[in-house]
C-alpha cells in the first residue's frame, strides 16, 4: 500500500511542492535522542503542572492559618518547542512523514517515532493516541502501549511568538506588556453567539452557566476578583503541555499564583482531518484488533476533544462540579477540592484558575497506609457519585488530574475539559449490572448486559464466558465482606485477561457511554491497586444504590 492510499489528499500536498514532505519525512537520530532525554528528565514535571520543585512564595491555609508556600521553578530541561502545523497541507504532509518514517524504521524504534510525531501534531491525533493508550496492554502490542502512554501531557510546546499572538488576540495585552508593567487596559475577546449556542453537546450546560461568587478567586489584599492589572508577571516558558494546550505560571502582586492554560492556535480546525489520517495509519499498521472497534473509540475521542477546545465551557463545568463536590460531607472530610476560577481573565482559548499545590496521586505510594487508603477511598467514592448520583463526570481518569498536598492533606482535582452529563436511564441500568456483579448474580448480570446492548446474545461461548468473568472480577471489591486488599488482588490484570478475549470475539461495539464509564471505574481500581489500598468498598456502593433507589440523585 502506498502513502497515497493511506492518506486521502496527499497527492495534492505533493503537487503543491516537495518541501512540505521533505521537511516532515523523517525523525533525525539526534532529535530522537534529545526527545527521549527530555522526557526522562522531565517525567514527573510533565505528568502534571504542579509536580515541580518549589522556590519561594506563599499560599494555601490549614485550619484557618496561613501557610508559607512555594512556587514552581522553571523546568531544568525546557519542553521541546515546535511550530504547530496549522494548515491542512502542513498537517497532511506531517502525517505523510510519520507514515514514511514508520515504514522505513526498524521495529525497535517505530513506537518512538510514533510518539515523537504525535507530540508534534498535538490536537486530535494526540488525543486519539491518548485514548488508545487507555486500552489494556493485553489488547495493543506492548511497544505501542508504552509509546502511547508516554503521550500524556508530553506534547511539544508552541514557540514564544505564537504564544504572544494568542495573548494579544484573546486579552488585547501581550505577555511583554504584563511583565513590563505597561498594562493600560484589557480587551477580553468575546466570541459570537451565546454560551453553548448551536452546539448539541453543550445543551446540558445551559442550566449551569453562572459561576457562584464563592467559586471565584479574589485578591487577598482587596477581596475583589482578580484582573489583568493584578498580575505581576507571566512566565513565557511553559512547564506542561498536552493535546489541546500548554500551561504557564503567573504571579500576582500579593505573591500568590495562577495557572494559565493556553490553547494551541487553530487546534479545533485540525481535529477531523487529523483523526481520519491517524485512523488510516492505524488500520494500515494493523495494531488494533477488530474487536476493539476503533471507529467507536474515534467517535468518542472527537466528541471529547471538541468539548475540551472551549475553555469557557470548561470553567462552567468546574463551577458545577465544585458545587456537587462541596455538597458531599465525606469528600469534604477527606480533603477533596477544586481550584477557584478567574472568569474575568478566562476566554475560550485561555483558562485561568488558582494554583494548586501537590504531587500527582500515583506518587503517594510511599506514604502511610492511612493516607493511601483515604486517597483511594475518596477517588472510588467520587467515581461512584459521578457515575450514578450526579451523572456528571470528569471523563479522564488520568492520575495527573489529582494532586495530593502532604502539607495540608488536601487532594485537588484539576482539568475539567472533558466534563459531561449522562442519561439517567442508562446509568441506572449500568448500576444494575454493577450490583448484579457485586451480588454474584450471574443470570441478572448477563440478561441486563443484553438489555443494555453490551451483548447481542449471539456471541460465542468464549465471549460470553469472558464477559461474565470480567463482570464478576469488576464486582469483587464490592462483593468482599469487610475491607478489600487491592494490593494483593491483581484485579486490573485479571480484567485485562478477559479484555483480550473481547478484542478478538466481540461482535458489536458496546454502548458509547461505556467507553467513558468503564474507563473511569477501571481507573479508580487501578489507582487503588497501585497505592495498595485496603478499605471497605461495599458500603460505598450500597449508599449509592440506596440513593438511586430513593431518587436522591441530581435531576
Amino acid at each position: 500500500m502506498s502513502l497515497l492510499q493511506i492518506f486521502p489528499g496527499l497527492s495534492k500536498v505533493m503537487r503543491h511542492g516537495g518541501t512540505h514532505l521533505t521537511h516532515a519525512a523523517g525523525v533525525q537520530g539526534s532529535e530522537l535522542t534529545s526527545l527521549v532525554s527530555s522526557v526522562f528528565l522531565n517525567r514527573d514535571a510533565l505528568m502534571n503542572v504542579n509536580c515541580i520543585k518549589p522556590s519561594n512564595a506563599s499560599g494555601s491555609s490549614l485550619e484557618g492559618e496561613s501557610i508559607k508556600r512555594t512556587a514552581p521553578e522553571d523546568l531544568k530541561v525546557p519542553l521541546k518547542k515546535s511550530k504547530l502545523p496549522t494548515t491542512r497541507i502542513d498537517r497532511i504532509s506531517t502525517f505523510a512523514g510519520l507514515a514514511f518514517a514508520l515504514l522505513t524504521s526498524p521495529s525497535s524504534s517505530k513506537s518512538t517515532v510514533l510518539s515523537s510525531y504525535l507530540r508534534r501534531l498535538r490536537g486530535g491525533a494526540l488525543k486519539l493516541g491518548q485514548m488508545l493508550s487507555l486500552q489494556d496492554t493485553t489488547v495493543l502490542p506492548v511497544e505501542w502501549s508504552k509509546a502511547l502512554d508516554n503521550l500524556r501531557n508530553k506534547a511539544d510546546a508552541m514557540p514564544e511568538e505564537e504564544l504572544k499572538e494568542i495573548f494579544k488576540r484573546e486579552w488585547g495585552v501581550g505577555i511583554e506588556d504584563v511583565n513590563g508593567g505597561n498594562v493600560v487596559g484589557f480587551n477580553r475577546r468575546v466570541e459570537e453567539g451565546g454560551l453553548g449556542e448551536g452546539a448539541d453537546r453543550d445543551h446540558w450546560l445551559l442550566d449551569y452557566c453562572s459561576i457562584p461568587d464563592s467559586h471565584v478567586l479574589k485578591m487577598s489584599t482587596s477581596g475583589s476578583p482578580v484582573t489583568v492589572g493584578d498580575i505581576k508577571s507571566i512566565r513565557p516558558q511553559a512547564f506542561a503541555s498536552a493535546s489541546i494546550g500548554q500551561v504557564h505560571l503567573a504571579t500576582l502582586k500579593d505573591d500568590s499564583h495562577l495557572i494559565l492554560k493556553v490553547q494551541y492556535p487553530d487546534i479545533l480546525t485540525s481535529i477531523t482531518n487529523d483523526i481520519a489520517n491517524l485512523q488510516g495509519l492505524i488500520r494500515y499498521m494493523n495494531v488494533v484488533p477488530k474487536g476493539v472497534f476503533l471507529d467507536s473509540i474515534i467517535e468518542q475521542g472527537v466528541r471529547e476533544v471538541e468539548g475540551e477546545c472551549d475553555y469557557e465551557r470548561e470553567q462552567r463545568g468546574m463551577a458545577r462540579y465544585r458545587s456537587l463536590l462541596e455538597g458531599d460531607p465525606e469528600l469534604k472530610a477527606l480533603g477533596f477540592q477544586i481550584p477557584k476560577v478567574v472568569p474575568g481573565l478566562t476566554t475560550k482559548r485561555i483558562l485561568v484558575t488558582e494554583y494548586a499545590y501537590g504531587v500527582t496521586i500515583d506518587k503517594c505510594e510511599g506514604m502511610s497506609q492511612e493516607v493511601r487508603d483515604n486517597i483511594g477511598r475518596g477517588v472510588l467514592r467520587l467515581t461512584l457519585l459521578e457515575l450514578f448520583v450526579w451523572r456528571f463526570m470528569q471523563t479522564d481518569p488520568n492520575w495527573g488530574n489529582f494532586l495530593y498536598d502532604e502539607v495540608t492533606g488536601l487532594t485537588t482535582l484539576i482539568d475539567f475539559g472533558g466534563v459531561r452529563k449522562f442519561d439517567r436511564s442508562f446509568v441506572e441500568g449500568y448500576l444494575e449490572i454493577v450490583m448484579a456483579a457485586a451480588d454474584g448474580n450471574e443470570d441478572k448480570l448477563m440478561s441486563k448486559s443484553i438489555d443494555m446492548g453490551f451483548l447481542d446474545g449471539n456471541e460465542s461461548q468464549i465471549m460470553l464466558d469472558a464477559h461474565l468473568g470480567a463482570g464478576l472480577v469488576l464486582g469483587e471489591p464490592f462483593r468482599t465482606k469487610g475491607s478489600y486488599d487491592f494490593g494483593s488482588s491483581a484485579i486490573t490484570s485479571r480484567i485485562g485477561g478477559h479484555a483480550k478475549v473481547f478484542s478478538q470475539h466481540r461482535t458489536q461495539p458496546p454502548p458509547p457511554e461505556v467507553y467513558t464509564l468503564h474507563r473511569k471505574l477501571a481507573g479508580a481500581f487501578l489507582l487503588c491497586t497501585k497505592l495498595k489500598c485496603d478499605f471497605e468498598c461495599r458500603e460505598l456502593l450500597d449508599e449509592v444504590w440506596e440513593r438511586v433507589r430513593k431518587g436522591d440523585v441530581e435531576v
Side-chain angles (χ1 to χ4, degrees):
M1 180 180 290
S2 70
L3 295 182
L4 299 182
Q5 292 172 297
I6 299 172
F7 301 119
L10 178 57
S11 58
K12 294 181 181 179
V13 177
M14 297 180 73
R15 288 198 298 271
H16 277 83
T19 54
H20 291 288
L21 186 56
T22 301
H23 177 71
V27 181
Q28 300 297 320
S30 59
E31 181 183 354
L32 283 176
T33 301
S34 173
L35 174 67
V36 172
S37 270
S38 175
V39 169
F40 179 78
L41 292 172
N42 284 319
R43 180 180 55 194
D44 290 347
L46 289 171
M47 278 301 296
N48 187 269
V49 300
N50 297 288
C51 294
I52 302 174
K53 292 183 179 180
S55 58
N56 184 19
S58 61
S60 304
S61 61
L62 181 64
E63 297 181 354
E65 296 184 10
S66 179
I67 300 175
K68 194 72 174 178
R69 302 310 302 268
T70 55
E73 296 175 348
D74 285 329
L75 295 176
K76 293 180 179 178
V77 180
L79 294 175
K80 176 180 170 60
K81 294 182 180 180
S82 67
K83 187 175 177 62
L84 183 75
T86 54
T87 69
R88 185 169 179 267
I89 292 176
D90 284 341
R91 295 189 76 81
I92 292 178
S93 63
T94 304
F95 269 104
L98 169 57
F100 181 83
L102 287 173
L103 291 171
T104 57
S105 299
S107 298
S108 59
S109 62
K110 288 186 187 297
S111 59
T112 307
V113 169
L114 175 65
S115 59
S116 174
Y117 268 91
L118 293 186
R119 276 192 283 266
R120 186 185 307 170
L121 281 161
R122 288 151 277 189
L126 183 58
K127 182 67 177 182
L128 180 57
Q130 291 170 336
M131 290 192 73
L132 286 172
S133 77
L134 294 169
Q135 301 298 314
D136 190 87
T137 54
T138 59
V139 174
L140 293 176
V142 173
E143 67 274 12
W144 282 73
S145 295
K146 289 180 178 178
L148 293 172
D149 190 55
N150 279 336
L151 295 173
R152 292 180 173 278
N153 293 338
K154 297 180 180 70
D156 287 358
M158 71 181 93
E160 193 167 325
E161 58 269 21
E162 283 187 347
L163 179 70
K164 290 180 178 179
E165 289 176 6
I166 291 174
F167 271 96
K168 287 181 178 178
R169 184 186 67 183
E170 298 294 313
W171 281 10
V173 174
I175 291 180
E176 65 277 14
D177 298 319
V178 175
N179 291 344
N182 299 319
V183 176
V184 294
F186 176 49
N187 183 27
R188 181 174 180 270
R189 186 182 185 197
V190 179
E191 301 281 350
E192 294 183 3
L195 295 174
E197 185 176 328
D200 291 340
R201 65 179 179 273
D202 278 347
H203 74 277
W204 52 268
L205 269 176
L206 294 178
D207 293 335
Y208 313 123
C209 287
S210 62
I211 299 177
D213 184 65
S214 60
H215 293 13
V216 175
L217 182 66
K218 299 176 181 178
M219 290 291 291
S220 60
T221 51
S222 64
S224 57
V226 173
T227 68
V228 70
D230 296 317
I231 299 177
K232 181 165 61 176
S233 64
I234 298 174
R235 291 187 188 173
Q237 295 294 325
F239 60 92
S241 55
S243 57
I244 305 301
Q246 62 191 46
V247 182
H248 294 260
L249 182 81
T251 301
L252 296 173
K253 291 178 179 177
D254 63 4
D255 289 330
S256 59
H257 305 287
L258 300 176
I259 287 297
L260 279 59
K261 186 159 70 170
V262 184
Q263 192 172 123
Y264 303 127
D266 302 317
I267 200 70
L268 182 59
T269 61
S270 72
I271 291 172
T272 302
N273 287 335
D274 277 4
I275 289 185
N277 285 324
L278 187 58
Q279 181 181 12
L281 180 63
I282 290 171
R283 290 195 188 284
Y284 174 69
M285 300 299 292
N286 195 29
V287 296
V288 177
K290 63 178 182 178
V292 172
F293 288 97
L294 180 62
D295 290 345
S296 298
I297 295 178
I298 287 173
E299 182 180 352
Q300 292 304 304
V302 169
R303 290 194 62 184
E304 287 190 19
V305 78
E306 284 180 343
E308 290 176 23
C309 287
D310 184 347
Y311 287 165
E312 288 178 334
R313 175 186 184 274
E314 178 171 350
Q315 194 171 71
R316 300 195 306 276
M318 286 182 70
R320 174 60 178 159
Y321 201 103
R322 181 183 173 106
S323 296
L324 291 169
L325 189 148
E326 289 182 341
D328 186 78
E330 182 169 345
L331 286 176
K332 289 185 68 176
L334 290 171
F336 278 63
Q337 64 172 12
I338 293 175
K340 292 185 177 180
V341 300
V342 186
L345 297 180
T346 294
T347 71
K348 286 186 180 295
R349 307 292 175 257
I350 298 177
L351 174 68
V352 185
T353 69
E354 68 177 320
Y355 183 86
Y357 294 88
V359 298
T360 56
I361 51 177
D362 58 308
K363 305 297 190 300
C364 298
E365 292 177 275
M367 295 184 183
S368 69
Q369 186 70 48
E370 181 181 7
V371 167
R372 289 182 280 120
D373 287 348
N374 284 341
I375 293 173
R377 181 184 176 86
V379 170
L380 183 56
R381 178 180 181 82
L382 182 67
T383 300
L384 293 175
L385 289 173
E386 286 180 294
L387 291 176
F388 305 121
V389 177
W390 302 343
R391 293 176 289 105
F392 186 89
M393 182 188 301
Q394 194 274 13
T395 59
D396 187 356
N398 184 358
W399 297 330
N401 293 336
F402 295 84
L403 307 175
Y404 179 72
D405 184 356
E406 197 169 8
V407 175
T408 61
L410 299 175
T411 300
T412 304
L413 285 67
I414 63 172
D415 193 352
F416 289 85
V419 292
R420 60 173 294 189
K421 197 168 180 67
F422 291 90
D423 178 74
R424 180 171 178 175
S425 62
F426 179 85
V427 296
E428 290 185 1
Y430 185 70
L431 176 58
E432 288 189 52
I433 294 177
V434 174
M435 286 299 299
D439 293 336
N441 189 334
E442 298 181 7
D443 291 339
K444 185 173 183 179
L445 191 160
M446 296 301 285
S447 64
K448 193 65 183 179
S449 294
I450 293 175
D451 292 343
M452 294 285 293
F454 288 87
L455 302 169
D456 60 21
N458 298 314
E459 288 84 359
S460 64
Q461 191 60 47
I462 188 174
M463 175 62 199
L464 295 174
D465 290 344
H467 182 84
L468 176 61
L472 293 176
V473 174
L474 184 72
E476 184 177 280
F478 305 117
R479 197 164 55 249
T480 301
K481 295 182 179 180
S483 64
Y484 182 76
D485 182 2
F486 282 92
S488 62
S489 68
I491 184 171
T492 53
S493 61
R494 286 188 285 143
I495 292 175
H498 295 297
K500 188 172 184 178
V501 177
F502 297 168
S503 69
Q504 300 295 333
H505 297 276
R506 190 189 291 278
T507 58
Q508 65 178 23
E513 296 91 342
V514 170
Y515 287 102
T516 298
L517 301 183
H518 246 30
R519 190 173 70 189
K520 197 66 184 284
L521 188 55
F525 283 173
L526 186 59
L527 171 72
C528 290
T529 301
K530 184 175 181 63
L531 295 184
K532 296 181 172 60
C533 293
D534 190 348
F535 60 87
E536 184 174 349
C537 301
R538 181 61 189 240
E539 64 180 6
L540 298 177
L541 183 62
D542 283 342
E543 178 189 342
V544 166
W545 174 256
E546 188 66 16
R547 290 181 64 172
V548 171
R549 192 182 65 81
K550 291 180 177 180
D552 180 20
V553 297
E554 294 297 314
V555 296

